[in-house]
Amino acid sequence: MATDMTVQMTVRLPDSLAAFVDQRVAEGEGSRASVIADALERERRRRDIEHEIAVVDAVHARGEQLYPDLDGWVRAADFTDVDDA
């Protein structure tokens, strides 16, 4: 996995957020920078997921199938419950 280059930034946080970050650091979760970077990465993933959900919802709202090329495979698949075997 490639590592992104880093950019130094200066940010101002409310006291309560700074205390939260410092508590995470005190609990051994890494440096201030890594705690903040992890939180931003989680937020980026959350937004990506929200976007994907919106795309799926839009496809369904148009009455379209999400994966029409898989319909035949799904219909042909044997979904016998393995517990019944």
Side-chain angles (χ1 to χ4, degrees), residues 44-62:
R44 179 168 56 178
R45 284 193 309 266
R46 186 190 67 77
R47 288 178 183 224
D48 288 347
I49 291 167
E50 281 183 347
H51 173 74
E52 292 299 320
I53 290 169
V55 169
V56 170
D57 286 347
V59 169
H60 285 274
R62 292 191 303 266

Side-chain angles (χ1 to χ4, degrees), residues 3-41:
T3 302
D4 289 337
M5 292 181 59
T6 60
V7 175
Q8 183 172 343
M9 301 177 84
T10 301
V11 298
R12 293 191 182 277
L13 299 174
D15 290 341
S16 61
L17 287 179
F20 176 79
V21 169
D22 288 341
Q23 182 63 38
R24 304 287 73 78
V25 172
E27 292 174 0
E29 292 185 27
S31 65
R32 283 177 159 177
S34 66
V35 168
I36 293 169
D38 289 348
L40 288 171
E41 185 60 38

